[in-house]
């Protein structure tokens, strides 16, 4: 192979205890290599493996044939006199001898040479393993004998052995041999790199390769899920007790005794081994997770204490009651010691002056402190058990989640934790140095601004956080395993991450209730009573602020949904002051804003109206940089109209030929003429009357008018030639299809657009010819119709048929795009 066609990849160094009898091959960390073999030799010279056939070995034809098949350079050596002449820094010599009892072997052994027998070469010739070493050399790799910290990849056919365990502990990727073969096939691609994750991840050794698992003590749903995960991770599963099983996974909280005596070759492990292997993307060591029978004397004693079906049940009930009372005292999170007279104690952090007769106010304050302490512990658990491990660099198997996913899930949890840690410390100090006149309200007033800053970002996006967790758990097996491991820990109290994350959403209302209760038990002359009222008010303001922010956030999300749904939607639709009011599905009844019969969606915002039509052909899907897919846009943008352009809203009367119709009289700022846009509402969810009132109210707000109802006019459909008859008939649909086809044909054969001046001249000519004769009945009807519309608009315009600039621009754009395609 030519030198310049070497694969540009991370320099590798393959190693093993035997260069031929190789089931494991490693690649080592070096500088990035891109270029020719000359550069490799200057940076790190390539050492070629050479076989030396000693004496009788050089006469074995089968051995020589095998070396030729695996394409390894070899020479013959008749005696030790030739030894020094064969020593070269360019080669790594491997000596093959026939008789290990011969003196030549002893001499080679004393010289620290690598000596093997012919079966090793014959074995490698049959399996083709030496070819891996050769290919890695050709692609810029370097062979290593031993596994060390510089190794970046381990190529293995199995999931056992010392080198495999070291690779797992160091987080070194463990690859299948196919990785090298596939890289060799793509060696001529200029920009290809075998170390890129997208390519490399296809050939990683799965955690459960060579493993046959069985599951004991799990529910049917859990067992089915774990069996599916087993197959996804390269393993197989069989029923419990099958002799072919390599591992028995036990639910240690359920199973107290195995139903059979396991064989010595069977690993009996806890479920944490299963999920841990998936999480770090490699088979974990079994010794750390071995299942042990829970039959210790202490456990038996505790079980006997709970057994109440014996003759001594009365005594045992009493003992159980005492045990539970002691447990309750031990788990009480209050820092206060037993009550002692106030005169016998000194106020300190470790000695709490508790009134001889506890007041109701003290009891509520104690509950407030205890719940705050519990809440801080929950936040600490979320951060330490979930967030910190996910953010750690150098995770085995690579990052479990992307940084943006972690940010979405946890949001401002660390900031909330910091604020409540300070509140807890202040409450603890107050309770340790308790006095009825101490102000609890001041503590919450002190941190009210911090609460306003930290809570809205989390509460507003909690649903998004929850959806991200659910989605990632379904799509990412390692994250699912991570949650399984950590949610089973006692710190979580068997609660899921979603259940823990909902606590911040519930905390502020809970605090407000406790402060209200505290205020009830505070004397009127106590100065803390007014302070508590202020604190409660500040918490309500925080919650109001959260709700307002949440409403704004949801409104912004709705606008983003419109932008994604409408193809070509203007970017200036996105605005901090804008919110979506209503969406209405309609059908166009005139020639504007699009052809009659077109399905049109109207998006009413507080200051504008987005008009979009249904796309005739939906192409492709949208994919974000992070791999998330969105459905293709189903609507096509027509016009974004400020509500100030709407001059009148026409409520078309209901007749036999006209149902659910309305019209808008609009005047674009660049035009002197008005345009009539007529629609038929296609949904009965929103009554037409409510829709028109809603529209007029926002138009009035935009133009600063109080009389919104004066914008609505009731009109007969005949006055504007508006009808909805046969809109859904087959004949009507066929007619519209023919019309669209004729327009497309006209555009296709129109190689140049008609100049605007020519259009004006033609209109002037037709207008002049019309003035020279008496108007026909049809002309009179048109004039009367237009004059009635002008009177409605309150302007002296003689015509309503002028084409506005934005529709004119739309037609020209279509003409240009079609001509360009031709």
């Amino acid at each position: 192979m030519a030198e310049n066609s070497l694969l540009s990849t991370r320099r590798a160094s393959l190693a093993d205890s035997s260069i031929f009898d190789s089931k494991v091959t490693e690649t080592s960390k070096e500088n990035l290599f891109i270029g020719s073999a000359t550069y490799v030799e200057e940076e790190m010279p390539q050492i070629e493996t050479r076989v030396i056939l000693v004496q009788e070995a050089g006469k074995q034809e089968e051995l020589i044939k095998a070396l030729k098949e695996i394409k390894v350079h070899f020479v013959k050596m008749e005696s030790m006199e030739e030894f020094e002449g064969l020593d070269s820094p360019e080669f790594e010599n491997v000596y093959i001898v026939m008789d290990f009892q011969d003196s030549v072997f002893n001499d080679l052994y004393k010289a620290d040479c690598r000596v093997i027998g012919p079966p090793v070469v014959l074995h490698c010739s049959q399996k083709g393993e030496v070819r891996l070493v050769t290919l890695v050399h050709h692609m810029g790799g370097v062979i290593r004998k031993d596994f060390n910290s510089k190794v970046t990849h381990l190529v293995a056919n199995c999931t056992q052995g010392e080198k495999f365990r070291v690779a797992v502990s160091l987080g070194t990727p463990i690859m299948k041999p196919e990785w090298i073969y596939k890289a060799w096939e793509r060696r001529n691609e200029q920009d290809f790199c075998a170390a890129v994750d997208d390519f490399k991840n296809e050939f990683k050794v799965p955690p459960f390769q060579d493993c046959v698992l069985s599951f004991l003590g799990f529910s049917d749903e859990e067992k089915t899920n774990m069996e599916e995960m087993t197959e996804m991770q390269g393993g197989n599963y069989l029923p419990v007790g099958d002799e072919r099983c390599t591992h028995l996974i036990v639910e240690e909280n359920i199973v107290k005794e195995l139903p059979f005596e396991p064989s010595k070759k069977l690993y009996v492990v806890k479920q944490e081994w299963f999920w841990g292997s998936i999480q770090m993307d490699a088979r974990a060591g079994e010794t750390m997770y071995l299942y042990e029978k829970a039959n210790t004397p202490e456990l038996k004693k505790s079980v006997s204490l709970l057994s109440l079906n014996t003759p001594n049940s009365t005594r045992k009930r009493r003992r159980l009651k005492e045990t539970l009372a002691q447990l309750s005292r031990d788990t009480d999170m209050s820092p206060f010691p037993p009550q002692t007279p106030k005169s016998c104690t000194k106020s300190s952090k470790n000695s709490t002056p508790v009134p001889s007769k506890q007041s109701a106010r003290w009891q509520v304050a104690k509950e407030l402190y205890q719940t705050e302490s519990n809440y801080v512990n929950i936040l600490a658990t979320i951060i330490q058990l979930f967030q910190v491990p996910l953010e750690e660099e150098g995770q085995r198997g690579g990052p479990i989640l992307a940084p943006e996913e972690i940010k979405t899930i946890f949001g401002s949890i660390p900031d909330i934790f910091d604020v409540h840690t300070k509140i807890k410390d202040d409450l603890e100090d107050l309770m340790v140095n308790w006095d009825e006149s101490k102000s609890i309200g001041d503590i919450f007033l002190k941190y009210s601004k911090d609460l306003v800053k930290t809570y809205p970002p989390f509460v507003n996006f909690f649903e998004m956080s929850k959806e991200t967790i659910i989605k990632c758990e379904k799509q990412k097996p390692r994250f699912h395993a991570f949650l399984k491991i950590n949610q089973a820990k006692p710190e979580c109290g068997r609660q899921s991450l979603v259940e823990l994350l909902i606590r911040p959403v519930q905390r502020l209302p809970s605090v407000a209730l406790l402060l209200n209760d505290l205020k009830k038990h505070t004397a009127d002359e106590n100065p803390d009573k007014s302070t508590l009222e202020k604190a409660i008010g500040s918490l309500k303001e925080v919650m109001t602020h959260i709700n307002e922010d949440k409403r704004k956030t949801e409104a912004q999300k709705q606008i983003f949904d419109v932008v994604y749904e409408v193809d070509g939607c203007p970017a200036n639709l996105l605005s901090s002051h804008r919110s979506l009011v209503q969406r209405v599905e309609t059908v166009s009844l005139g020639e504007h804003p699009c052809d009659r019969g077109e399905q049109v969606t109207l998006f009413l915002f507080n200051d504008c109206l987005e008009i979009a039509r249904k796309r005739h052909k939906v192409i492709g899907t949208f994919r974000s940089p992070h791999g998330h897919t969105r459905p293709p846009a189903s609507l096509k943008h027509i016009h974004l109209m400020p509500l100030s352009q709407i001059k009148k809203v026409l409520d078309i009367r209901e007749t036999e030929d006209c149902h659910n119709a309305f019209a808008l009289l609009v005047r674009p700022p660049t035009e002197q003429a008005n345009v009539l846009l007529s629609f038929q509402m296609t949904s009965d969810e929103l009554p037409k009357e409510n829709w028109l009132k809603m529209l007029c109210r926002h138009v009035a707000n935009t133009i600063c008018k109080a009389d919104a109802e004066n914008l609505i006019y009731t009109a007969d459909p005949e006055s504007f030639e508006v009808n909805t008859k046969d809109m859904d008939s087959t004949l009507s649909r066929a007619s519209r299809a023919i019309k669209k086809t004729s327009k497309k044909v006209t555009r296709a054969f129109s190689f140049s657009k008609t100049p605007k001046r020519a259009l004006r001249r033609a209109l002037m000519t037709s207008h002049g010819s019309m003035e020279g004769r008496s108007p026909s009945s049809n002309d009179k009807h048109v004039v009367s119709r237009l004059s009635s519309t002008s009177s409605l608009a309150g302007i002296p315009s003689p015509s309503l048929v002028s084409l506005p600039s934005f529709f004119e621009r739309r037609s020209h754009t279509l003409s240009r795009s079609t001509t360009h395609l031709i």
Side-chain angles (χ1 to χ4, degrees), residues 278-290:
I278 297 175
Q279 179 185 328
M280 63 184 182
D281 204 20
R283 177 176 166 182
E286 289 83 1
T287 54
M288 294 176 59
Y289 305 97
L290 292 177

Side-chain angles (χ1 to χ4, degrees), residues 208 212-220 222-231 235-241 245 247-251 255 259-260 269-271 273-275 278:
F208 300 138
V212 181
L213 312 182
S214 57
F215 303 93
L216 180 64
F218 300 94
S219 65
D220 292 340
E222 288 177 316
K223 185 179 177 183
T224 302
N225 177 38
M226 295 175 82
E227 288 174 348
E228 291 175 355
M229 296 290 286
T230 300
E231 291 185 331
N236 295 298
Y237 62 88
L238 289 172
V240 174
C245 289
H247 295 76
L248 174 62
I249 317 299
V250 178
E251 167 55 281
V255 178
F260 63 93
V269 293
K270 295 180 284 189
Q271 61 172 324
W273 173 85
F274 178 84
W275 298 116
I278 297 175

